[in-house]
């Protein structure tokens, strides 16, 4: 075996490693595509396993119609969803609570993004973590009341 054969085999091994890496990346991307296809183009809400294919018609007078429209709008759901939840004794969403929770989510996301910045040193981060733990325990204790 001469020196040219060794260089050739090293180059071949490097190219083989690159090809293997590309294949793994391709497989990973294909798995992501399959996951997205299950939940729609952008992920989002999963596809219902049982499509709703039956329809029921209800006759209402003007007052009932107006009340149902107003109630559905107040809860932020469709009239169909309002009927479905009422008929099946599923609790209705609390729009005020959901708005507050959504605001909390936004605030905590901002805190997390700020926390990832390299502006703070480790001591400041640890102090802030401790304060957050105390706040979380206070929130939990007040939620159980």
């Amino acid at each position: 075996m001469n020196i040219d054969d060794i260089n050739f085999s090293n180059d071949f091994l490097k190219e083989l490693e690159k090809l293997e890496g590309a294949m793994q990346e391709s497989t990973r991307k294909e798995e992501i595509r399959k996951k997205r296809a299950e939940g729609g183009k952008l992920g989002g809400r999963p596809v219902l396993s049982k499509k709703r294919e039956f329809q029921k018609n209800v006759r209402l007078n003007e007052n009932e119609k107006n009340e149902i429209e107003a109630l559905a709008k107040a809860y932020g759901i469709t009239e169909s969803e309002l009927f479905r939840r009422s008929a099946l004794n599923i609790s209705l969403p609390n729009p005020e609570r959901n708005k507050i929770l959504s605001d909390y989510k936004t605030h905590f996301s901002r805190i997390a993004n700020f926390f990832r910045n390299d502006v703070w040193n480790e001591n400041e981060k640890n102090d802030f973590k401790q304060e957050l733990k105390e706040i979380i325990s206070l929130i939990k204790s007040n939620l159980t009341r």
Side-chain angles (χ1 to χ4, degrees), residues 5 56-57 60-61 69 103 110 123 128 137:
D5 292 338
K56 293 288 183 179
N57 296 321
L60 306 168
N61 64 34
E69 287 174 352
D103 289 344
R110 287 179 180 165
N123 288 336
F128 191 73
S137 66

Side-chain angles (χ1 to χ4, degrees), residues 28 44 62 86 88 139:
R28 188 184 68 78
E62 186 73 24
S86 297
L88 299 174
I139 290 172

Side-chain angles (χ1 to χ4, degrees), residues 35-144:
K35 271 188 175 179
R36 287 186 178 158
E38 290 174 6
K41 182 178 179 183
L42 299 175
R45 185 176 289 187
V47 178
L48 291 176
S49 59
K50 295 182 182 178
K51 269 190 157 179
R52 295 186 174 116
E53 55 186 290
F54 301 105
Q55 181 178 354
K56 293 288 183 179
N57 296 321
V58 179
R59 292 195 181 273
L60 306 168
N61 64 34
E62 186 73 24
N63 290 337
E64 291 169 334
K65 177 185 151 302
N66 292 338
E67 275 188 53
I68 288 170
E69 287 174 352
L71 195 57
K73 186 175 180 180
Y75 281 110
I77 58 177
T78 64
E79 293 171 30
S80 296
E81 186 68 17
L82 178 68
F83 280 118
R84 200 175 298 112
R85 286 176 178 237
S86 297
L88 299 174
N89 284 333
I90 298 172
S91 65
L92 294 169
N94 184 337
E96 185 178 319
R97 178 178 161 265
N98 290 347
K99 170 76 171 106
I100 292 170
L101 289 175
S102 177
D103 289 344
Y104 283 166
K105 178 188 171 285
T106 302
H107 296 317
F108 280 114
S109 295
R110 287 179 180 165
I111 290 171
N113 290 337
F114 187 69
F115 206 79
R116 284 188 205 107
N117 285 339
D118 292 332
V119 176
W120 295 0
N121 64 37
E122 283 302 312
N123 288 336
E124 291 172 326
K125 285 183 181 182
N126 290 332
D127 291 344
F128 191 73
K129 282 181 188 179
Q130 186 59 39
E131 287 182 37
L132 277 178
K133 287 179 183 178
E134 291 172 15
I135 291 170
I136 289 170
S137 66
L138 284 172
I139 290 172
K140 283 182 181 178
S141 67
N142 283 312
L143 283 176
T144 56

